[in-house]
Amino acid sequence: MANALNTITVDGVTYNAAAYEATQKKEVTKNDDLGKETFLQLLVTQLQNQDPLNPQDNSSYIAELAQFSALEQMTNVASNLEDLGKVVNNIDTSVLVGQLSGMIGMNIDWVETINEADEEGNPISHQESMTGIVSGVTIVDGVPSITAEKDGQRYQVNIANVANVYEATTEVIE
């Protein structure tokens, strides 16, 4: 026995809701984002399928639109803040590279981690203090580092490992 709760009327013909739904081809795609188009489709569907004798209050539709508009604006702000964060990071990196470039030709002391293996092949590491001359500045994976030369060998020195920076002197201290 069909009642108003489990029937659907399409083009003037009344169907059992479950039977009608089963006959409709649906393409299901997973989309976790409720976008503007989806929201508007839901709103139009809601308006089309409301009871004409007992329509929903217009203020609830206006409230839904206002909420969606606010959500969309917050999403745009979040996206813009993320973009701004990237710009600030790029500026910070550029300023740091500029400052580090002023160190070219200066002496630096740094701590180098040496990874080796013991007699049994087990990995061991120790730290060694090193001194060299800054020959350049590089950016590796977005992180600035210093290129230092010591005894004709080049080292990539992480800025965090630099212990001391000082002018290269040619004076002999007696």
Side-chain angles (χ1 to χ4, degrees), residues 91-104:
I91 290 171
D92 287 347
T93 300
S94 297
V95 169
L96 185 57
V97 166
Q99 291 173 338
L100 294 174
S101 296
M103 294 171 45
I104 294 176

Side-chain angles (χ1 to χ4, degrees), residues 22-39:
T23 63
Q24 300 301 305
K25 290 188 177 186
K26 294 181 183 178
E27 185 176 312
V28 178
T29 58
K30 181 165 175 49
N31 185 359
D32 293 334
D33 296 333
L34 179 61
K36 188 184 326 182
E37 292 298 320
T38 306
F39 176 78

Side-chain angles (χ1 to χ4, degrees), residues 105-116:
M106 298 182 82
N107 287 340
I108 63 166
D109 298 329
W110 77 93
V111 178
E112 185 78 21
T113 301
I114 310 295
N115 296 314
E116 299 176 325

Side-chain angles (χ1 to χ4, degrees), residues 61-163:
Y61 290 119
I62 292 170
E64 286 179 33
L65 284 170
Q67 287 176 341
F68 185 76
S69 177
L71 177 62
E72 184 178 21
Q73 288 174 0
M74 287 190 304
T75 303
N76 291 340
V77 167
S79 175
N80 290 339
L81 282 176
E82 186 177 311
D83 293 344
L84 181 62
K86 290 176 185 175
V87 169
V88 169
N89 285 339
N90 288 340
I91 290 171
D92 287 347
T93 300
S94 297
V95 169
L96 185 57
V97 166
Q99 291 173 338
L100 294 174
S101 296
M103 294 171 45
I104 294 176
M106 298 182 82
N107 287 340
I108 63 166
D109 298 329
W110 77 93
V111 178
E112 185 78 21
T113 301
I114 310 295
N115 296 314
E116 299 176 325
D118 62 10
E119 299 86 31
E120 299 170 3
N122 298 321
I124 58 170
S125 65
H126 65 279
Q127 293 186 332
E128 186 177 316
S129 294
M130 303 186 86
T131 300
I133 298 175
V134 177
S135 61
V137 178
T138 59
I139 299 177
V140 179
D141 294 328
V143 178
S145 63
I146 297 170
T147 302
E149 291 186 16
K150 176 183 178 180
D151 301 327
Q153 188 173 359
R154 288 187 162 198
Y155 295 89
Q156 283 301 124
V157 181
N158 187 323
I159 297 166
N161 295 339
V162 175

